[in-house]
Amino acid sequence: MGLEIYNTTVQAAVNWARKFSLFNYPFVTACCGMEFMSTAAPKYDIARFGAEFPRFSPRQADLLIIVGTITERQAPALRRVYDQMCEPKWVIAFGVCASTGGFYQNYSTVPGADQIIPVDVYIPGCPPRPEQVLDGLVLLQERIQRGEGHSQIVLKAEAGHDVPIAAIRPRDKQPHGAK
Amino acid sequence: MASTLTPTPPKAPAAPAVRRMVLGVQEPEDMDLPTDPIPLNMGPSHPAMHGTVRMVVDVEGEKITNADIQIGYLHRCFEKESEYATYTQIFPYTDRLNYVSPMLNNVGYALAVEKLMGIADKLPERVSYIRVIVGEVSRITDHMTCLGAGAMELGAFTVFLYLLKAREWLYELLEEISGARLTHSYVRIGGVSGDLPDGWGAKLLDVIKRTREVIVECGRLLNRNRIFRDRMDGIGIITKEDAIAWGVTGPVGRSTGLDYDVRKDHPYLVYDRFDFDVPIGSVGDNFDRYMCRLEEIEQSMRIVEQALAKIPAGPTMIDDPRVRLPSKTETYNSIEAMIAHFKVIMDGIHVPPGEVYSFTEGGNGELGFYIVSDGTGRPWKCRVRPPCFANVSVLPKVLPGLFIADIVPTFGMINMIGGECDR
Amino acid sequence: MAQIVLDRLVATFTGGEIEQIGTQHGNEWARVRRDAWRAVGAFLRDDPTCDMKMPTDLTAVDRLNRDPRFDVVLHLYSVTKKHRVRLYAGVPEDDCNIDSLMPVWPGLDWFEREAYDLYGVRFKGHPDLRRILMYPEFVGHPLRKDYPKEKRQPLIRRSGLPGSPE
């Protein structure tokens, strides 16, 4: 009995620490990058939420923010970056192009980054206002606290805990590009 | 026409003997161990590359011997989408071309279609003045973003924050007139979509005053900064002949000494009524490109002040039933106006068959629109001549001989915008 | 304003290389026979009256139901004389190549690669003609009118999702 409370309290404390110290990897491709810069700028200050620190190496980051349109040419690079990150990792799709492809429905754009990697929070907007971005970030922080990010659920399943079957997808074991 | 502004004379690159002594660098000839050339991959997701671009550089030690720049990671099929969209529906696509100065793309595209329709010289005066004002404000945001990001990559984070702070003020003003901070789609064929709100001009003048102070402060922080100058002087030199042969225009072209600005040489809208200078560089290195942009911000502010003083009252859309939407009272109260409204929106504006190449001064240079029309409401071909495509294509000639660390300021000052280069 | 360029072209190339000239919406244009493409280009660059040292744009147009199917379109500018001209050259679909203008203006490198990538027009004499905007595994030339806009050729997909390879 005591051990369960200890574990859940420790887990809650660990999640609290994770959510307020996100190291983000801004995978910036397009116009949304300007609004990302604005969110990081003094007026809308993403540093208030602890997520100001961009780490430009996937090994050192735990939040992948996909900012802007993903094209078919870019997709293997995105997959590789995601694969290189260590668990637990979270993904925000910033902007409609990363969420669903936006108004680009053509031979070169991927209709949403979730065709390539699992996404936790979608922030619609073209580009989304910085307030929307911060709203999405707070939403992600609440999910992290509850332990509901994709990668957290997968880790729980692998550790043997009970998770709803529909909550996890089969983990892709192949590296990018392999059939 | 040329501005004679260079605060300090540009420093000549140090002679090899001095470099060896001062920096302890060994040229390959006098090294004991030979180096192997290795290919180094930078990108497509890289912090110092604005936009997504992949550079495969062959390096020997730190020196680049060959650079292969691979673009196309943001190819969003502007031309193909344009063939399926009506002329007015293309405006959001043009916003996302050079997304740091979206109004300039809107204006350039609108002028091209208006030329095809033959109404370019019949626009109301107020429309031309508004287009000039918002275009120049967009140019200021473009240059501020370029300089801010370029400075941040060299370590000058303060300059980045100051310039973004100033950019926010301008974004708020543009949001007041168009509804969106970044992707405005404000211009329409034959005019603009809405008039300037009351008091907007006074607010803009106040913001310009404050922005001028920010620009002066950033100049004070960087222009004589030893570290900044050492990293930018003499690096990435483009000669004037190369600029002409490669089609390099805009601040990058002018920094080489090429005296070409579309606003002065082929004035469009009402640019010939304003008094402004065009900064021309002399050496063509990174520092010249930086100074050209910094000075152009000041000149754009001058244009905006003069335009706000002279702007006349009047309609904001040409009174041509082929392009204008009828007013809401007419549309709801008469069937003819409703049908006209429906046709203009659903069918698109019928542009007579023909072809035109219309060019304006974009943030990075000559922004051209080559439109082929077949007489329907959708273009047969709508091609953008992207200025930064030509600017970046000269880099494989410029980069060999530089160090890897020199790629960062060079690429930053070329200001490649992925949306424009890859379309 | 650039009429002098057209006059010089017509006066110099008397063997039928200049098929048609005209002015439309303030742009002067000339249609050039495909085999004279490089000669006309070199003349425009070197002739002191024309002095068109800056190439601004090179692209292609798919006319679809006309023979020859493609038009390669070149826009030139002179920074000293401040005039422009547009040149067309018809390229048929079955023999889809034309001389490269890189020996004349080295800056047309990427523009020609893009015309090859998106339209399939090959440029003879281009040192490195490969795709520039699309990835090397892409099959087809997307800006041709018969390429459907939404036909994707995905490189990678998560398994189990619509559009995934397996």
Side-chain angles (χ1 to χ4, degrees):
Chain A
M1 180 70 184
L3 197 58
E4 279 172 24
I5 294 179
Y6 178 72
N7 272 337
T8 51
T9 317
V10 164
Q11 198 56 44
V14 164
N15 284 343
W16 176 91
R18 280 177 180 155
K19 81 180 184 190
F20 280 136
S21 66
L22 289 166
F23 282 13
N24 55 28
Y25 183 112
F27 194 89
V28 170
T29 46
C31 355
C32 281
M34 300 301 110
E35 288 300 46
F36 179 74
M37 281 159 70
S38 290
T39 315
K43 179 164 183 190
Y44 295 103
D45 207 11
I46 206 173
R48 301 180 271 169
F49 302 90
E52 85 213 300
F53 218 25
R55 308 310 285 149
F56 285 103
S57 162
R59 303 282 189 202
Q60 299 170 8
D62 54 6
L63 171 62
L64 176 65
I65 311 184
I66 308 174
V67 184
T69 323
I70 301 295
T71 57
E72 299 286 356
R73 191 168 181 173
Q74 179 85 309
L78 173 63
R79 182 73 216 220
R80 192 153 214 194
V81 163
Y82 179 76
D83 286 338
Q84 284 178 346
M85 288 166 70
C86 310
E87 274 87 16
K89 54 191 173 184
W90 298 275
V91 178
I92 287 184
F94 185 127
V96 279
C97 286
S99 307
T100 55
F103 70 164
Y104 291 109
Q105 300 286 326
N106 50 48
Y107 54 85
S108 174
T109 52
V110 174
D114 56 0
Q115 298 261 327
I116 302 174
I117 58 182
V119 171
D120 292 305
V121 169
Y122 300 84
I123 304 179
C126 193
R129 284 193 61 100
E131 286 96 338
Q132 271 176 282
V133 176
L134 297 173
D135 186 38
L137 184 70
V138 168
L139 194 69
L140 178 72
Q141 286 178 336
E142 288 167 5
R143 298 195 86 188
I144 294 176
Q145 180 69 67
R146 292 193 300 262
E148 287 171 8
H150 282 288
S151 122
Q152 285 169 301
I153 295 180
V154 168
L155 282 178
K156 238 196 272 186
E158 284 177 346
H161 297 288
D162 230 354
V163 290
I165 303 265
I168 58 169
R169 289 185 177 276
R171 193 205 279 266
D172 294 284
K173 294 254 189 287
Q174 289 94 358
H176 77 284
K179 283 279 179 287
Chain B
M1 184 145 69
S3 161
T4 51
L5 296 148
T6 14
T8 57
K11 210 170 63 153
V18 175
R19 247 173 48 151
R20 257 183 239 139
M21 194 168 69
V22 167
L23 301 173
V25 163
Q26 280 184 304
E27 302 299 324
E29 340 28 291
D30 34 53
M31 285 169 71
D32 294 326
L33 297 170
T35 54
D36 277 334
I38 46 168
L40 179 74
N41 176 46
M42 297 175 77
S45 173
H46 192 278
M49 301 292 122
H50 300 212
T52 84
V53 68
R54 181 180 182 212
M55 290 210 225
V56 183
V57 291
D58 294 325
V59 285
E60 279 189 21
E62 283 259 336
K63 205 175 251 227
I64 300 173
T65 48
N66 186 38
D68 175 27
I69 301 184
Q70 298 179 5
I71 60 170
Y73 288 90
L74 195 61
H75 180 56
R76 295 185 288 193
C77 324
F78 171 81
E79 283 191 48
K80 194 80 177 179
E81 295 273 6
S82 309
E83 291 168 12
Y84 288 76
T86 66
Y87 284 95
T88 312
Q89 285 174 335
I90 297 179
F91 277 108
Y93 291 109
T94 58
D95 270 335
R96 287 143 179 90
L97 285 174
N98 185 343
Y99 41 78
V100 274
S101 57
M103 292 286 196
L104 289 171
N105 310 330
N106 284 354
V107 166
Y109 170 71
L111 276 176
V113 182
E114 285 156 7
K115 270 195 199 162
L116 260 185
M117 297 193 71
I119 57 176
D121 38 2
K122 304 198 189 80
L123 294 174
E125 280 228 344
R126 189 174 172 86
V127 166
S128 299
Y129 275 86
I130 293 181
R131 284 181 180 181
V132 165
I133 294 172
V134 294
E136 293 304 312
V137 170
S138 264
R139 194 191 308 277
I140 297 175
T141 60
D142 189 345
H143 290 330
M144 285 206 289
T145 312
C146 171
L147 297 180
M152 172 175 73
E153 283 152 12
L154 293 179
F157 196 62
T158 308
V159 170
F160 175 71
L161 292 176
Y162 284 2
L163 287 173
L164 282 208
K165 168 183 79 172
R167 195 182 76 165
E168 281 300 317
W169 301 328
L170 292 169
Y171 273 179
E172 281 167 14
L173 284 176
L174 289 176
E175 189 188 15
E176 266 191 56
I177 57 173
S178 69
R181 287 159 49 96
L182 190 62
T183 48
H184 312 108
S185 304
Y186 175 59
V187 183
R188 295 284 179 271
I189 298 174
V192 290
S193 65
D195 205 348
L196 304 177
D198 297 329
W200 191 81
K203 276 191 237 183
L204 180 57
L205 285 172
D206 180 51
V207 162
I208 284 187
K209 195 162 64 82
R210 286 185 287 159
T211 309
R212 209 171 248 141
E213 292 162 17
V214 169
I215 298 294
V216 164
E217 184 155 7
C218 292
R220 273 207 295 265
L221 280 173
L222 288 179
N223 288 0
R224 273 188 247 262
N225 186 312
R226 177 61 196 272
I227 301 175
F228 193 73
R229 291 299 295 266
D230 275 348
R231 284 206 70 178
M232 303 270 270
D233 274 344
I235 306 288
I237 294 181
I238 304 177
T239 60
K240 188 169 156 189
E241 291 71 34
D242 278 347
I244 298 178
W246 260 261
V248 174
T249 50
V252 180
R254 289 194 280 279
S255 73
T256 67
L258 171 63
D259 189 1
Y260 174 48
D261 184 336
V262 184
R263 298 173 290 173
K264 284 280 193 192
D265 293 329
H266 307 273
Y268 55 98
L269 293 174
V270 286
Y271 276 107
D272 42 359
R273 302 187 197 178
F274 303 124
D275 173 37
F276 63 99
D277 297 322
V278 172
I280 310 278
S282 48
V283 177
D285 60 359
N286 282 336
F287 189 70
D288 270 358
R289 298 192 265 274
Y290 159 81
M291 281 308 297
C292 276
R293 291 209 166 88
L294 199 65
E295 285 306 319
E296 274 189 28
I297 298 181
E298 173 59 41
Q299 300 304 319
S300 288
M301 292 199 270
R302 274 177 71 188
I303 298 178
V304 172
E305 286 172 339
Q306 292 170 48
L308 281 173
K310 290 188 197 165
I311 185 170
T316 51
M317 176 67 85
I318 193 174
D319 195 18
D320 186 333
R322 291 178 298 167
V323 297
R324 105 189 127 88
L325 288 176
S327 69
K328 286 296 181 206
T329 36
E330 279 174 26
T331 315
Y332 287 132
N333 289 320
S334 95
I335 192 69
E336 294 86 9
M338 177 175 279
I339 293 177
H341 191 279
F342 182 81
K343 294 288 278 181
V344 169
I345 291 190
M346 295 302 293
D347 248 355
I349 294 169
H350 281 257
V351 173
E355 307 184 5
V356 76
Y357 177 74
S358 149
F359 46 97
T360 57
E361 180 76 13
N364 283 327
E366 177 186 318
L367 175 69
F369 280 91
Y370 171 56
I371 303 188
V372 177
S373 158
D374 57 351
T376 62
R378 291 170 165 76
W380 184 256
K381 178 182 170 83
C382 176
R383 151 119 185 139
V384 182
R385 186 261 173 194
C388 65
F389 191 72
N391 293 359
V392 176
S393 72
V394 83
L395 274 186
K397 185 158 193 272
V398 166
L399 286 181
L402 300 181
F403 292 133
I404 298 179
D406 294 328
I407 298 183
V408 172
T410 310
F411 203 77
M413 285 300 124
I414 293 280
N415 197 25
M416 174 191 124
I417 305 287
E420 189 177 62
C421 194
D422 302 340
R423 282 150 282 137
Chain C
M1 154 192 65
Q3 190 56 41
I4 187 167
V5 173
L6 296 180
D7 295 337
R8 287 286 292 151
L9 274 178
V10 166
T12 315
F13 292 93
T14 47
E17 290 96 340
I18 309 291
E19 293 169 2
Q20 232 186 330
I21 60 171
T23 307
Q24 195 185 47
H25 299 296
N27 301 140
E28 277 78 18
W29 59 269
R31 181 169 286 281
V32 177
R33 215 173 53 206
R34 186 164 56 133
D35 51 359
W37 190 234
R38 196 180 282 175
V40 170
F43 168 74
L44 284 173
R45 183 196 62 175
D46 297 326
D47 183 50
T49 337
C50 304
D51 198 31
M52 315 211 90
K53 294 248 185 332
M54 180 185 277
T56 50
D57 192 19
L58 184 141
T59 180
V61 184
D62 183 353
R63 306 276 182 195
L64 196 56
N65 290 323
R66 187 201 76 169
D67 182 47
R69 179 175 172 187
F70 297 106
D71 260 344
V72 173
V73 182
L74 173 69
H75 288 91
L76 296 171
Y77 179 64
S78 166
V79 279
T80 46
K81 308 274 189 294
K82 307 217 186 298
H83 50 219
R84 288 166 195 273
V85 80
R86 187 188 311 148
L87 297 180
Y88 295 91
V91 175
E93 184 178 352
D94 41 5
D95 180 28
C96 207
N97 46 38
I98 190 173
D99 283 330
S100 163
L101 285 176
M102 273 192 70
V104 183
W105 295 282
L108 286 175
D109 179 3
W110 280 19
F111 287 98
E112 289 181 348
R113 275 176 66 188
E114 185 194 331
Y116 163 66
D117 184 6
L118 299 175
Y119 283 97
V121 178
R122 302 198 71 88
F123 290 87
K124 295 189 285 205
H126 192 287
D128 184 23
L129 195 66
R130 57 192 158 109
R131 289 192 181 267
I132 187 169
L133 292 180
M134 302 307 301
Y135 38 95
E137 297 89 339
F138 195 85
V139 172
H141 298 283
L143 269 184
R144 291 191 174 187
K145 291 284 180 180
D146 46 6
Y147 191 94
K149 179 173 83 126
E150 300 192 18
K151 178 175 164 191
R152 292 184 171 90
Q153 300 178 25
L155 280 178
I156 182 170
R157 282 285 185 272
R158 274 176 70 201
S159 42
L161 283 183
S164 73
E166 57 273 357

